Amino acid sequence: MIEERDDLYGAESAQALAAEVYENYKQFVNPPLARVMKISGSPVEVRAEGCTIWDQSGKAYLDFAGGYGVFTLGHRHPRVVAAAREQLERMALSGKTMFNVVLGRAARRLAELAPGDLQISFWCNSGTEAIEGAIKLARAATGRAKIVSTVDAYHGKTLGALSVSGREPFQSKFRPLLADSVAIPYGDAHALERELSDAAAFVVEPVQAEGGVNIPPHGYLQAVRELCDRFGALFIADEVQTGLGRCGYRFACDRDGVVPDVMTLAKGLSGGVIPVGALIARAAVWLRAFGDAPLVHTSTFGGSEIACAAALAAMDVLEEEGLVARARERGEQLLGGAQAIATEYPTVVREARGLGLLVGVELTHEGYGGFIIPEMLRAGVTAAWTLNQQRVIRLEPPLIVSGAEIDRALSALGQGVAAAYEKLGTLPTDSAR
Ligand SMILES: Cc1ncc(COP(=O)(O)O)c(C=O)c1O
């Protein structure tokens, strides 16, 4: 424990802090979430650094949930924190009436790193906002309304993004959603061919993350590129979770060597320190959509100096620390270990699959997960469900994770699976979501 720092946020004891947070959640944040988190034994996060989060009693957890992909550089990477701190001393948020140096530099740097001729970016504060922008851009650029997406996709929870996301329980209370949105099976180019002729865009994750870590066949994105060209629809690659090294490529689109018309980013873009989102488009496409209307798509907080300073530092760290190659190497270790556990317990684990440091462990029955995740937490490792497929546990550690940390996480997963098997035996195979 570190003495100087007030890890109890002024509370008298760890128990008092936990009780205070729970009451606040129950009364003022989200009562049903408070209940679920309490039942699953969720501690209070009080401090984080690198791959580790500490709770109110000083217990350390290896963060293999990784903020669902936010913490590509780990928590509070010193170079990103320093850049944000330095910017905070100058100017934190944009006044919007004058040119913003850091936004210009971040946009230029993103264009340098992005595949092919992706060039003009719009900066916002989250993934779902980036998707909203991409949908608007596609409609304005093509004069068409229809957006094609994929079954089990996850693009966010604002109304436009929700309309192209694939989980009924998230959508049902909010109908009618955006008209003219159609979902087709993921990885199926023939289905896309049937829907694309009158579409503004096809929005797709290069690896479906929240859908259960689904990796499309090689060549799928090339087929998408060809079909979008043939029908004059935009290819929107949602790299909010897969981009910036996560999958062992700078962008997961690089696996198929394709350049989309629009790419969306968020999560790791500002190194896990400040909220951020962005879309980046080919210049001709952007200009066709917004070229005559500079204020048709804007955001008060988007492109703030502090977020852009963090993003600039984060992009440098990603490149200079060789984290893309590292994700690929460590990803093989993580996936190999998870597959060995699957082989040992085939009645509990149906399959382990992944790309880079985005690994999904698919269980044969959802019920096992409710046992394995808390068991891993007790062993000091965080893991999480994928949002649209509750039978899949995602392992998504920072790209700076060490080999020894992966071994520790695998050992916690192995213990959790073994304990689930001992306690629950063989459950019937489940197709529930
Ligand atoms: C692929 C993808 N797109 C969009 C989003 C939405 O991002 P946000 O939660 O920042 O709105 C997510 C979030 O998990 C995502 O995984």
Side-chain angles (χ1 to χ4, degrees), residues 7 31 39 67 78 87 120 148 163 189 230 260 265 278 306 312 352 361 375 379 401 432:
D7 278 355
I39 290 167
Q87 187 57 46
I120 302 183
V148 183
S163 307
R230 192 192 321 159
L265 295 163
I306 192 163
L312 266 171
V361 178
E375 197 61 31
V401 70

Side-chain angles (χ1 to χ4, degrees), residues 26-369:
K26 202 169 80 174
Q27 289 187 54
F28 304 111
V29 179
N30 186 331
L33 182 66
R35 226 177 7 254
V36 170
M37 288 179 78
K38 187 162 184 135
I39 290 167
S40 59
S42 229
V44 181
E45 56 188 16
V46 298
R47 187 162 53 87
E49 192 169 320
C51 297
T52 305
I53 301 178
W54 284 268
D55 77 6
Q56 75 278 17
S57 54
K59 178 174 169 181
Y61 301 82
L62 275 178
D63 189 9
F64 270 60
Y68 308 160
V70 168
F71 298 110
T72 51
L73 308 187
H75 292 265
R76 297 171 52 243
H77 190 288
R79 282 179 64 185
V80 182
V81 169
R85 202 168 263 154
E86 194 182 317
Q87 187 57 46
L88 195 56
E89 295 301 325
R90 281 207 195 101
M91 179 150 194
L93 298 178
S94 171
K96 296 284 173 182
T97 56
M98 300 183 195
F99 283 114
N100 168 344
V101 180
V102 208
L103 171 60
R105 287 185 184 159
R108 174 182 285 271
R109 187 78 179 111
L110 182 58
E112 284 165 4
L113 293 187
D117 55 356
L118 289 172
Q119 183 181 329
I120 302 183
S121 52
F122 167 75
W123 291 65
C124 50
N125 307 286
S126 65
T128 199
E129 273 179 87
I131 290 289
E132 296 295 325
I135 292 173
K136 285 175 70 180
L137 188 144
R139 284 187 162 187
T142 61
R144 301 175 185 169
K146 178 172 158 185
I147 309 289
V148 183
S149 60
T150 57
V151 174
D152 287 345
Y154 188 81
H155 299 292
K157 290 200 180 108
T158 51
L159 279 175
L162 187 63
S163 307
V164 294
S165 293
R167 190 162 183 232
E168 181 57 23
F170 290 151
Q171 294 180 328
S172 58
K173 285 179 197 269
F174 309 107
R175 295 192 190 285
L177 295 169
L178 211 57
D180 295 316
S181 56
V182 173
I184 57 167
Y186 186 66
D188 183 344
H190 294 297
L192 181 61
E193 189 171 8
R194 287 192 290 276
E195 287 294 344
L196 210 54
S197 64
D198 57 346
F202 178 50
V203 56
V204 66
E205 297 158 88
V207 171
Q208 260 191 352
E210 301 300 335
V213 188
N214 301 317
I215 300 153
H218 264 295
Y220 173 58
L221 296 181
Q222 282 165 5
V224 169
R225 180 66 277 172
E226 283 162 23
L227 289 168
C228 285
D229 286 342
R230 192 192 321 159
F231 292 113
L234 298 192
F235 172 6
I236 302 171
D238 182 352
E239 294 253 16
V240 163
Q241 191 154 169
T242 55
L244 297 157
R246 169 60 52 195
C247 291
Y249 297 86
R250 200 189 266 158
F251 299 94
C253 279
D254 296 340
R255 173 173 175 253
D256 257 3
V258 295
V259 181
D261 298 299
V262 185
M263 179 184 274
T264 51
L265 295 163
K267 299 211 186 253
L269 179 58
S270 62
V273 169
I274 307 281
V276 76
L279 67 84
I280 181 163
R282 295 185 133 140
V285 169
W286 194 97
L287 290 170
R288 216 182 311 142
F290 300 149
D292 60 348
L295 299 179
V296 75
H297 190 69
T298 61
S299 157
T300 300
F301 287 129
S304 71
E305 275 85 345
I306 192 163
C308 290
L312 266 171
M315 288 187 272
D316 284 348
V317 169
L318 185 77
E319 293 298 299
E320 288 165 24
E321 294 190 5
L323 294 180
V324 178
R326 179 103 171 246
R328 192 177 297 197
E329 200 181 294
R330 298 276 189 257
E332 278 168 19
Q333 181 192 350
L334 182 60
L335 181 59
Q339 284 172 336
I341 293 168
T343 306
E344 199 177 339
Y345 292 96
T347 57
V348 179
V349 181
R350 176 184 284 164
E351 183 185 46
R353 51 181 179 264
L355 195 64
L357 280 170
L358 178 56
V359 168
V361 178
E362 180 169 349
L363 306 171
T364 55
H365 192 287
E366 193 181 315
Y368 287 123

